Amino acid sequence: MDTSPVTPHRLDPAGGCPHAVNERLLARGAVTSVVLPGEVEGAVVLGHEALKEFLAHPDVAKGARHFTALNEGRVAEGWPLMTFATVQGMTTADGDDHRRLRSLVSKAFTVRRVERLRPRIEDLTSTLLDGLNAAAREGGGVADLREHFALPLPMGVIGELLGVDAQYRDRLHHLTNQVVSTDIGPEQAVAANRELMAVLGAVAAARTETPGDDLTSALIAAHDEDGDRLSRQELMGTLVLMIIAGHETTLNLITNAVRALCAHRDQLASVLDGEADWADVVEETLRWDAPVSYFPFRYPVRDLTVDGTVIPQGTPVLAGYSAAGRDRAAHGPDADRFDVTRPRRPGAARHISLGHGAHYCLGAPLARMEATIALERLFTRFPDLDLAVSEAELTQQASFVGNSVRTLPVRPGTSRP
């Protein structure tokens, strides 16, 4: 794969610290070969400019029909990354199919519709902050911010947007978390995917019986009115992708931003003093500690040279967002430094942590709004909030796809009205 004799990097299914790994891989170059779980050969594009080029390249596809090892039967059933490759939806569609699916979903994420969600997001944030405060009182002053705040906020919002009844949301998070996990066993992976489809089938059935002003009802209506526009597989695949992308990314973004601000109190002070704003915190977190490390998959439709490295046709390629965010070639010699004033610097490179090109994240405006409101309200109400454990005691997610920690114990401190 790589024209150099460097041994392919074996990705750790259990995750680990992405930034230490990224630094070593970037030292090899902007593109490097990797070994995925199941001994599947792949590649990752890590450099900022190389990744921008690759994501927008006309000879790079998303459809699994271009995945050589899969089509040759060299990928076992229960492979932990199978859903990313085979689910039928926007992230695995190309050309006209991609445009058709994206157009159906994009109506839910217009600027006007997202702005209409602001009051609901603010109300939900306030309610969850009450819950975080109560959990801390019951826990001797300590509560898991991820469980009580960073998770239920985006899950609640995407649940309402999709018309997912509250009774299904906790289970959907558990199941999609297993889908995102890369160290899951084959039997567990198959069982999780089977149950996920069953739960989403129940969601679709409920919205079929009682349609509402939600995206699932709209997608079902599009399917019913014109069967060749949205197949059953595409409906289910779209729901899977929306649930995962609609809450996992924002969950990690809020978690990582709180960690960063607690570890950099001077940066928090800069925001509170007006030298930067909460939107700057969100953008710097997206760059410095991207909520996604290596996102699967894209496939060259011919042998492709990216930044001097040949990626053979049909190779499953990961987008290295967390690495690109700290690429010194793009973000300067201090790229490893968390600096909330960076987004305001003249000529500062914009991160690409939410994608680039035709597959740019549709939900980016919603994720930014949720995170900005969450952080502002959190630190306004709990200005002394801090971690209850050291960074060394935090455990990374068991995934090289998502980038965050499993829990975030915090001491909220005194609550302001």
Side-chain angles (χ1 to χ4, degrees), residues 68-79:
T68 299
L70 180 65
N71 295 323
E72 292 180 353
R74 293 188 280 117
V75 179
E77 183 182 6
W79 191 49

Side-chain angles (χ1 to χ4, degrees), residues 255-275:
T255 302
N256 293 356
V258 172
R259 287 174 60 205
L261 290 169
C262 288
H264 302 83
R265 307 301 295 196
D266 60 324
Q267 299 297 304
L268 176 58
S270 294
V271 181
L272 298 176
D273 291 343
E275 295 176 23

Side-chain angles (χ1 to χ4, degrees), residues 187-207:
E187 292 183 3
Q188 190 180 4
V190 171
N193 276 277
R194 184 179 296 121
E195 185 180 352
L196 178 59
M197 289 299 114
V199 174
L200 290 175
V203 170
R207 296 287 68 81

Side-chain angles (χ1 to χ4, degrees), residues 389-402:
V389 299
S390 68
E391 278 281 340
E393 295 175 87
L394 296 173
T395 303
Q396 287 287 127
Q397 286 180 315
S399 173
F400 55 71
V401 177

Side-chain angles (χ1 to χ4, degrees), residues 8 89 139 342 376 415:
R342 186 188 306 269
E376 180 178 11
S415 173

Side-chain angles (χ1 to χ4, degrees), residues 47 51 121 199 215 226 252 300 303 318-319 323 328 337 346 349 361 365 371 381 387 412:
L51 185 54
I121 295 172
V199 174
L215 182 56
D226 189 354
N252 290 349
D303 289 358
L318 301 162
R328 292 183 179 87
R337 188 165 72 92
C361 177
R381 181 157 175 183
L387 300 188

Side-chain angles (χ1 to χ4, degrees), residues 123-260:
D123 288 346
L124 182 55
T125 298
S126 296
T127 299
L128 292 173
L129 289 175
D130 290 341
L132 178 67
N133 195 36
R137 287 200 304 269
E138 294 174 4
V142 176
D144 180 5
L145 183 133
R146 194 170 169 90
E147 175 186 353
H148 294 286
F149 184 64
L151 166 60
L153 176 58
M155 193 64 184
V157 173
I158 197 63
E160 291 185 19
L161 195 62
L162 289 174
V164 176
D165 294 336
Q167 70 193 78
Y168 296 118
R169 294 176 190 174
D170 286 347
R171 193 60 187 165
L172 283 174
H173 169 67
H174 171 74
L175 293 169
T176 56
N177 191 252
Q178 289 186 297
V179 168
V180 172
S181 173
T182 50
D183 72 343
I184 190 171
E187 292 183 3
Q188 190 180 4
V190 171
N193 276 277
R194 184 179 296 121
E195 185 180 352
L196 178 59
M197 289 299 114
V199 174
L200 290 175
V203 170
R207 296 287 68 81
T208 300
E209 182 177 346
T210 311
D213 182 21
D214 57 75
L215 182 56
T216 301
S217 296
L219 292 172
I220 291 169
H223 167 49
D224 288 342
E225 291 168 8
D226 189 354
D228 65 359
R229 290 197 69 213
L230 190 67
S231 69
R232 175 71 178 181
Q233 291 77 16
E234 288 172 336
L235 171 63
M236 300 305 289
T238 297
L239 293 180
V240 169
L241 297 170
M242 294 296 293
I243 287 288
I244 294 176
H247 87 281
E248 287 282 353
T249 302
T250 308
L251 161 61
N252 290 349
L253 172 57
I254 294 171
T255 302
N256 293 356
V258 172
R259 287 174 60 205

